């Protein structure tokens, strides 16, 4: 199964003509999952190779405007681009994010009279006081929804922290388990871990037939790792006829943060194939970065090391950093500096560093 | 005083890479008034010659997302680009729009933890049942704000229809009177009339001194249009020493509509220098246009004629119409067709027709 990750916006704070606000898409066989949706995401989508109508799930890391202001408009445009199905109701679009997101959508879609062609549900993650300074916490009054559901809204779940894993179990399907974990930011923030199931090795049935062994209980024993003695006396090891297992891929996408919270992030991101982490400012500005709840390349690298990640992708850059292609010689703020700082911090670790840019697509190859 | 009008978005329904969602700016000596604010308006502003920090007033014609979804983000970016004044509080940013707008901003700014450097107030225009089909009316429950004001919010006015003029009096300052009037659309919609005060002729005091008349009560009589007899017996007519009055300019900007409502629009827009009117679809699609609460060029032309407007500017085009510069020979949908249809309908009337495009700036010259 092919998987890739496309960055639609890599700028922090607000969208600019050279860097969109936060949004990225994980695509797997035509299905697209959107992570964050800053203002202008729908236009960035139109400029990309992706189709808005393929978006089936949305994940919002935190409620800052540069990650959220594009969501009502995106839903309207996904709806406009979706063909009605006359014989069957369209599936529900699932949206995951912090408490308060349900009210945000209900009010914005409601007051603008926005009708969708499909149902949607907002599954809210309970935020905890250790995820932000006190002033970043929303009061119950602010987040509580009064009044009727939006006409296309289905009541979503309320997802609590699972204390045994220190993670939020969002869902699992045939292909993936998706969890969230806590981050520290000016407002409660989350990271998401998309873990593909391992693909167990298959029995090489063609080889077995050549060896004269027909389907039956012995197949099950070989699958279970046992040995089998053939009629001709040959002892067949499971390993001889089992293809190797393919470990599932793991993609971890962290929202804005100056720190991780609890054991959840390291557990969930352990051995991630790709760890997407913000790096808003350069190492020299760590104090300012942390004051605003953000990270520097060195801080991102430390998380990647602690997670034993294979590849670190930096994004969410201050708008002072122009994309490489637009930089002029002698520009004060060189985006490549951020890459070098992460690489320096990771020297000898083998962790690969990539700078995200708007419209960059990273293929995520099968592990073998 | 120089005045100009810049279109930041001329597309309907959603922003696309070739047409932004609705937004236009009336600029007068460095002060900018924003009319509608679809998603992406802040990015369009950055691409334009205008400065976000100069926006002092915002007018929202109706609550559809393609006219509103950009407002929370725009306010945040205006705030980021405004320098704090250490000695004096910054002035309040006034926002005018239909009932429901106050809650929209309070919830979106509140849940996203958006802090502004200046205060803002939302002055809500009462909507009436004759402005939309019943399903386009918002319930009291939907629009009523519960809970505290946003930290930077000042309580705005509630503006009711003035039955004698069939208009809403929004405000008047040294230079302008600004009114709103009702339009019919899928949801209640408004148009805005910006009327510059006439500039009364001034007394030519230099000439008077040459003639030997010094300041005194006779100046007042001349100003009032009376005649004065000089000491040498010469009879001085008021017209000889009064400069000519300069009539104020009138700019009228209509939100989405398939019809005007009541007498207000024609009264307010009478002899407008510029009438900005939507033309979402071509005349051939009038039925579809009206069904969606929109107009065709012919319908826009009829309003311009009824108002005796000098210049009709069309905007809010279906995204099927590419900008002139991007059209290819043989393209099915030719934006110039919309212009021709309006011109045909206005033949012989002397009304000039202009197609708006993103980033078009129209100068509005003094009347003489
Ligand atoms: Zn951010
Ligand atoms: Zn943030
Ligand atoms: Zn519209
Ligand atoms: Zn509309």
């Amino acid at each position: 199964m092919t998987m890739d990750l496309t960055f639609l916006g890599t700028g922090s704070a607000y969208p600019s003509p050279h860097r969109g606000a936060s949004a990225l898409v994980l695509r797997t066989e035509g299905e697209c999952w959107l992570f964050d949706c800053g203002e202008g995401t729908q236009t960035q989508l139109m400029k990309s190779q992706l189709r808005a109508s393929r978006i089936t799930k949305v994940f919002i890391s935190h409620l800052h405007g540069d990650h959220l202001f594009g969501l009502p408009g995106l839903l309207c445009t996904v709806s406009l681009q979706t063909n009605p199905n006359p014989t069957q109701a369209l599936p529900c679009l699932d949206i995951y994010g912090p408490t308060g997101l349900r009210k945000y959508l209900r009010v914005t879609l409601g007051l603008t009279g926005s009708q969708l062609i499909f149902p949607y549900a907002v599954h809210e993650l309970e935020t905890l006081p250790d995820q932000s300074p006190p002033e970043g916490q929303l009061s119950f009054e602010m987040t509580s929804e009064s009044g009727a559901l939006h006409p296309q809204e289905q009541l979503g779940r309320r997802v609590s922290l699972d204390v045994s894993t220190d993670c939020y179990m969002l869902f699992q399907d045939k292909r993936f388990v998706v969890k969230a974990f806590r981050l520290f930011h000016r407002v409660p923030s989350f990271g998401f871990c998309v873990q593909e199931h391992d693909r167990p090795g298959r029995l090489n049935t063609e080889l077995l037939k050549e060896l004269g062994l027909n389907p039956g209980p012995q197949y099950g024993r070989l699958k279970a790792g046992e040995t089998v003695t053939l009629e001709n006396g040959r002892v067949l090891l499971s390993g001889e006829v089992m293809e190797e297992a393919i470990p599932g891929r793991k993609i971890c996408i962290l929202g804005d943060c100056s720190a991780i919270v609890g054991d959840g992030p390291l557990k969930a991101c352990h051995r991630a194939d790709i760890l997407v982490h913000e790096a808003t400012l350069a190492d020299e500005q760590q104090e300012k970065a942390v004051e605003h709840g953000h990270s520097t390349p060195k801080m991102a690298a430390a998380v990647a090391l602690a997670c034993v990640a294979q590849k670190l992708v930096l994004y969410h850059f201050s708008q002072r950093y122009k994309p490489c292609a637009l930089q002029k010689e002698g520009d004060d703020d060189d985006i490549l500096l951020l890459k070098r700082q992460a690489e320096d911090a990771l020297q000898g670790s083998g962790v690969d560093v990539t700078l995200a840019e708007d419209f960059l697509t990273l293929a995520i190859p099968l592990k073998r």
Side-chain angles (χ1 to χ4, degrees), chain A:
Chain A
M1 186 180 61
T2 63
M3 285 178 77
D4 57 34
L5 201 57
T6 298
F7 290 82
L8 295 174
T10 58
S12 86
Y14 54 88
S16 82
H18 55 267
R19 276 194 202 284
S22 282
L24 62 91
V25 169
L26 179 65
R27 178 170 57 170
T28 57
E29 298 198 332
E31 194 178 333
C32 289
W33 293 355
L34 175 66
F35 291 82
D36 283 342
C37 190
E39 182 177 348
T41 296
Q42 59 169 311
T43 318
Q44 296 287 91
L45 253 176
M46 289 173 204
K47 290 185 191 171
S48 79
Q49 308 279 0
L50 303 168
R51 282 171 201 230
S53 62
R54 294 287 169 84
I55 293 175
T56 55
K57 292 184 192 295
V58 177
F59 303 84
I60 300 294
S61 66
H62 66 298
L63 298 184
H64 272 156
D66 59 326
H67 301 252
L68 179 58
F69 282 151
L71 187 53
L74 178 104
L75 293 179
C76 292
T77 296
V78 171
S79 179
L80 279 175
Q81 295 188 3
T82 300
N83 293 319
N85 186 332
T87 61
Q88 208 182 339
L90 290 167
C92 183
L93 189 135
D94 290 304
I95 302 169
Y96 299 86
T99 303
L101 183 55
R102 193 178 295 147
K103 180 175 179 180
Y104 183 90
L105 280 179
R106 198 179 290 175
V107 170
T108 55
L109 296 177
L111 284 174
T112 57
S114 301
Q115 300 289 336
L116 306 177
I117 201 176
F118 47 77
Y120 79 93
V122 181
H123 310 290
E124 288 191 336
L125 282 67
E126 275 181 27
T127 61
L128 290 172
D130 56 5
Q131 290 180 262
S132 84
E135 64 271 21
Q137 302 281 325
L138 292 172
S139 66
F140 174 75
E141 186 194 41
M142 291 277 290
T143 59
S144 65
E145 318 107 29
S146 59
L149 272 68
H150 186 273
Q152 283 85 50
E153 183 182 354
Q154 296 184 353
L155 201 52
R157 289 188 295 134
R158 178 178 178 80
V159 190
S160 303
L161 184 72
D162 170 2
V163 288
S164 68
T165 60
D166 209 1
C167 280
Y168 299 74
M169 171 60 106
L170 302 190
F171 65 92
Q172 90 171 280
D173 65 15
K174 279 184 206 162
R175 304 177 302 165
F176 298 101
V177 187
V178 182
K179 294 176 182 174
F181 46 84
R182 283 173 297 154
L183 302 173
F184 188 86
H185 184 48
R186 269 181 304 139
V187 301
S189 182
F190 293 94
F192 300 100
C193 169
V194 179
Q195 166 74 65
E196 187 185 25
H197 299 312
D198 293 340
R199 197 173 302 195
R202 292 181 315 126
L203 265 190
N204 187 336
T205 49
E206 282 174 13
L207 176 59
L208 285 169
K209 280 174 192 162
E210 272 175 37
L211 292 168
L213 195 67
N214 288 321
Q218 288 168 316
Y219 272 41
R221 284 163 58 196
L222 286 166
K223 262 192 189 168
E226 297 170 30
T227 56
V228 159
T229 307
L230 300 184
E231 282 180 3
N232 61 11
R234 174 169 170 191
V235 174
L236 196 60
L237 301 176
S238 167
E240 293 178 78
V241 290
M242 285 288 287
E243 289 169 3
E244 229 172 311
I246 300 176
R249 289 160 281 188
K250 185 188 275 192
I251 296 91
C252 297
I253 298 162
L254 279 70
D256 290 4
C257 61
S258 57
I260 57 179
V261 176
D263 296 330
L266 296 191
K267 279 186 188 166
C269 304
H270 186 63
R271 295 195 154 281
D273 296 85
I274 293 189
L275 184 85
V276 181
H277 196 295
E278 67 133 296
T280 306
L281 293 168
D283 290 344
E284 291 76 11
Q285 293 178 283
Q286 179 167 339
E287 201 176 332
K288 186 179 169 195
V290 171
E291 190 192 322
H292 289 88
H294 289 304
S295 295
T296 67
K298 193 177 179 177
M299 292 164 71
V303 174
L305 268 183
C307 296
V308 200
Q310 278 211 343
K311 189 198 235 344
L312 170 63
V313 184
L314 300 178
Y315 77 142
H316 197 271
F317 306 120
S318 162
Q319 293 285 359
R320 69 169 64 182
Y321 297 106
K322 296 213 182 73
C324 271
L326 295 182
Q327 281 186 173
K328 301 236 161 62
E329 224 182 296
D331 268 359
D332 273 351
D333 299 302
D334 182 355
I335 186 76
L336 290 173
L337 172 68
L338 303 189
K339 187 174 189 220
R340 283 195 298 272
Q341 292 183 334
E343 282 170 343
D344 287 351
L346 290 166
Q347 208 157 26
S349 70
V351 181
D352 177 67
V353 178
T354 298
L355 286 182
E357 293 286 358
D358 289 15
F359 308 113
L360 171 74
T361 295
L362 291 174
I364 307 166
L366 275 177
K367 285 225 181 141
R368 36 154 297 113

